[in-house]
Every structure is written in structure tokens, then in C-alpha cells.
Amino acid sequence: MAGERQARLADRIRVILAERLEKGLRDPRLGFVTLTDCRVSGDLQHASVFYTVLGTEEERIASGAALASATGMLRSEVGRQLSTRLVPTLEFIPDALPENADHISALLREAQQRDAEVAKLASSASHAGDADPYVRNEDEDDQ
């Protein structure tokens, strides 16, 4: 039951924050931020919010700094819209999912290329060594 409440609260926090970020913050450092996940601790006191930023590494760092500086204002917004006794603290964590997905895709492409090279080599390969003298050919049986 507590896990269900945690999940509902996490979803609600993510929606509230996404709506607030969609309206915009008055911070020019904030880039195109997407909130990917939110996890709330078992005692509902802490919320970890995972995000990704579309852009360069500098834009990611700047957006992280903008989110960190706006944490108090965003927590106030969450407190205003939630009907809980205590408002969880917010921690913004950059999500490594897109980088991991790109890395896995690159590894899969490399494996596919190597499989194609092996298949090409195997198609023109012949058996090693001489023919087995104890195995009779079908042509010899006909004679």
C-alpha cells in the first residue's frame, strides 16, 4: 500500500513540475528539459526527479544549475498543489538513459557488422584437412 502511495505521489510531483517548467522559469540557463522519472522515498520526505536536456554538454550543465537554483521555488509550487502534510525535498538528477541507449545502439550496430563479416567469411570457407578415408562417397557405392 505504501508503494502505491509513493508511486501516485511521484507521478503527481512529476506532472506538477513538468507543468511549471512548461510555463517557463525566468532563468536563461534553462534549456529544453524533459522530466523522465520521479521517485519518492518510503517516508515521502524526499523526491528524486530525473531529467534529460536536449542539447550540448554545456547546455546540460547550465540547465542542471538552473534547476538547482530554482529548487526552492519548485518545491513551493509542489507544496501549493499537493494535499500532503509535509512537502518532500526535491533533488534533480540528470538521467543517463539517452546516453546509455545511444551506447547500446552503437554496440548492436558493431555486433551486426561483425556478424555480417563472419557470415561472408563462412560462405567462402571450406573444411580444413583432407577428406576422411573411412567415409564412403555415394558415387563409389554406385560403381
Side-chain angles (χ1 to χ4, degrees):
M1 172 120 75
E4 194 174 308
R5 183 168 184 211
Q6 281 175 277
R8 280 195 322 259
L9 187 62
D11 285 342
R12 184 67 185 133
I13 289 171
R14 188 176 56 79
V15 167
I16 291 168
L17 292 175
E19 288 173 353
R20 182 62 184 105
L21 290 176
E22 189 177 313
K23 291 178 188 174
L25 296 177
R26 292 183 184 166
D27 196 333
R29 299 176 293 175
L30 189 67
F32 188 72
V33 175
T34 302
L35 301 180
T36 56
D37 194 16
C38 181
R39 296 181 187 154
V40 178
S41 64
D43 61 357
L44 308 178
Q45 294 292 317
H46 182 76
S48 299
V49 182
F50 296 89
Y51 69 94
T52 60
V53 179
L54 186 64
T56 64
E57 187 64 29
E58 293 83 25
E59 291 172 330
R60 290 182 188 135
I61 293 170
S63 293
L67 287 172
S69 67
T71 300
M73 185 273 302
L74 292 171
R75 185 174 182 221
S76 297
E77 183 76 22
V78 168
R80 225 177 332 202
Q81 294 190 32
L82 284 181
S83 58
T84 58
R85 186 170 60 94
L86 297 171
V87 180
T89 59
L90 300 177
E91 177 185 16
F92 290 95
I93 302 170
D95 197 352
L97 186 66
E99 290 84 11
N100 289 344
D102 289 342
H103 180 67
I104 290 172
S105 294
L107 290 174
L108 289 173
R109 278 192 301 276
E110 182 181 341
Q112 188 177 24
Q113 289 172 350
R114 288 184 180 181
D115 286 347
E117 290 170 7
V118 168
K120 182 179 175 184
L121 289 173
S123 67
S124 63
S126 61
H127 294 289
D130 298 330
D132 190 0
Y134 299 106
V135 175
R136 295 173 43 139
N137 284 333
E138 293 176 9
D139 295 337
E140 293 175 4
D141 290 342
D142 294 339
Q143 294 176 356

